[in-house]
Amino acid sequence: GHTDERALVPYNLDDFQAIAKAKLPRDLYEYLASGGDDEQTLSQNKAAFKQWFLRPRVLRHMTHLNTETTLFGQTLSMPVFVSPAGVMALCDPTHGECATARACGDCGTMFALSQHATRSIEQVAEGAPATNRWYQSYILKDRRMTLRLVKRAVQAGYQGIFLTVDSIRFGYREADARNGFNALPPPHRLVNYDENKDSPSKLSNTYNSGAEQAWDQNSEQMFDNNVSWADVSWLKKNGCPNLPLVIKGVMTGEDALLAIEAGADGILVSNHGGRQLDGCLASIDALPEVVSAVAGRVPVLLDSGVRRGTDVVKALALGATAVGIGKPVFFALATGGEKAVYDMLHMLKKEIEAAMAICGVEKVGDITQNLVARHPSGGPAVPYIRSAL
């Protein structure tokens, strides 16, 4: 039979995933799409947004509708950024992370580069010089390399640092074991670890050892298991004293307070897109607790599960300053490279504009808590399932 052409045109963020699924090899698609264990948190991340309801206000002036927002003095065209996530060359072998970084620049928003990228800190700086770039750090067993990487980002003009703290180990994703996805397919490498132009880092013997059944159980061997809140202060003082340091992977009010005490400039509420601890709350449901604990001292960001403009508005109403997206970026890259990532971000921006207009908010600062509510009955007993239309 002939392919339904309509099926290949994305009209929303989930469409990019469906198109990517049809295009990518199964092992790669499942590496990108899967979550930890039973994938409860993976599915909750999206479903939980549907349990928060909007309270639209009508007949308000909307002549100057504006999605712009400010984060650490940096202007974003909309309260959405690309959250740090590695190995983008798996979806765009030619340009990798540079494609996404350029799309973010064209959209006027922030791009975060993962330590586990397939294009180096410097390559992305050269490839997307006009983009507001941030760098995401993991604390390695090799502390000196950890610092060198952060200092390279500072040197290359990156404007902020994320420190990911939820990955003392990586979640076990059975799809990868089942598919034999236990090393990066050649020629891909985690190039930030290559400090000598002529030879891959010795760390490739660790992350590509193939010793464990699933790739992330090999790459986690590089991480320091003996980390504490003192390391946040250490990284801030020695690595990025003049840049904002945001702690990524905080899911409780208690940890948010400890992060601020340790010198964090911001908190990113995240469960790693459901890829880490299965059975923890959806990030949108963990957000109110964190916002309440932080009490306005630092910006609170959120990622994991954002797919719609209404999701963005709900997160902002619950106290987030901006939200990050992860998986949709990979699926857009696989669908059509840089242009598809741009289209995807632009699509989300249009959805945010429509949601703001219909909710009666002209600017991002007007999105306040009275815009969201829980369902009066405690919410539908039946989980949200999209119609098959």
Side-chain angles (χ1 to χ4, degrees), residues 137 139 146-147 150 161-163 230-241 245:
S137 170
I139 294 184
T146 308
L147 265 190
V150 170
I161 305 292
F162 286 106
L163 175 63
D231 294 307
V232 172
S233 315
W234 166 79
L235 192 71
K236 174 79 182 166
K237 182 173 163 230
N238 298 295
C240 55
L245 175 64

Side-chain angles (χ1 to χ4, degrees), residues 93-378:
T94 314
H95 304 287
E97 286 76 8
C98 294
T100 305
R102 283 193 287 268
C104 287
D106 288 344
C107 271
T109 195
M110 180 245 281
F111 168 76
L113 180 73
S114 169
Q115 181 160 306
H116 283 181
T118 44
R119 293 293 177 274
S120 72
I121 292 165
E122 294 77 13
Q123 282 171 316
V124 176
E126 282 164 34
T131 302
N132 173 3
R133 288 166 276 104
W134 282 49
Y135 172 73
Q136 172 264 323
S137 170
Y138 287 116
I139 294 184
L140 298 166
K141 288 179 173 136
D142 183 341
R143 294 300 180 100
R144 283 181 305 187
M145 180 180 261
T146 308
L147 265 190
R148 279 199 303 273
L149 286 160
V150 170
K151 286 176 173 172
R152 277 169 58 190
V154 174
Q155 189 69 39
Y158 286 64
Q159 296 186 51
I161 305 292
F162 286 106
L163 175 63
T164 300
V165 294
D166 64 5
S167 301
I168 191 153
R169 288 199 178 179
F170 276 131
Y172 182 54
R173 296 185 287 281
E174 290 161 23
D176 297 339
R178 199 178 296 120
N179 293 327
F181 194 87
N182 65 355
L184 278 184
H188 303 300
R189 307 198 304 280
L190 303 183
V191 293
N192 281 323
Y193 294 138
D194 299 349
E195 296 190 272
N196 176 344
K197 281 192 179 64
D198 306 315
S199 63
S201 157
K202 288 190 181 71
L203 284 175
S204 62
N205 300 334
T206 306
Y207 67 76
N208 269 350
S209 69
E212 299 286 337
Q213 286 184 302
W215 180 53
D216 277 340
Q217 273 58 56
N218 291 311
S219 55
E220 75 185 15
Q221 308 291 329
M222 300 183 288
F223 298 156
D224 194 340
N225 288 330
N226 196 22
V227 282
S228 72
W229 289 106
D231 294 307
V232 172
S233 315
W234 166 79
L235 192 71
K236 174 79 182 166
K237 182 173 163 230
N238 298 295
C240 55
N242 304 314
L243 290 184
L245 175 64
V246 173
I247 308 304
K248 174 179 183 279
V250 170
M251 289 289 288
T252 63
E254 296 92 321
D255 277 348
L257 290 177
L258 289 168
I260 294 169
E261 274 172 39
D265 301 296
I267 306 288
L268 174 47
V269 175
S270 168
N271 54 40
H272 222 106
R275 293 169 77 77
Q276 286 296 95
L277 181 67
D278 196 34
C280 66
L281 282 177
S283 54
I284 192 66
D285 285 338
L287 178 65
E289 173 186 324
V290 171
V291 167
S292 167
V294 168
R297 278 171 282 194
V298 299
V300 177
L301 312 175
L302 169 140
D303 74 17
S304 305
V306 174
R307 298 293 181 275
R308 284 279 183 190
T310 45
D311 296 342
V312 179
V313 171
K314 288 171 186 179
L316 266 60
L318 289 170
T321 299
V323 302
I325 46 174
K327 290 185 189 69
V329 177
F330 286 85
F331 299 134
L333 262 187
T335 301
E338 180 183 335
K339 183 187 182 303
V341 177
Y342 176 85
D343 291 345
M344 184 267 296
L345 290 168
H346 190 64
M347 193 180 279
L348 196 53
K349 184 169 189 277
K350 282 173 75 171
E351 286 189 8
I352 295 167
E353 286 168 356
M356 284 173 63
I358 300 167
C359 282
V361 286
E362 204 175 27
K363 55 184 198 292
V364 167
D366 296 339
I367 300 174
T368 52
Q369 201 172 347
N370 55 14
L371 207 60
V372 284
R374 285 299 203 184
H375 197 279
S377 71

Side-chain angles (χ1 to χ4, degrees), residues 69-87:
T69 194
T70 307
L71 178 64
F72 301 110
Q74 305 163 12
T75 303
L76 309 182
S77 62
M78 59 175 165
V80 175
F81 58 93
V82 167
S83 233
V87 297

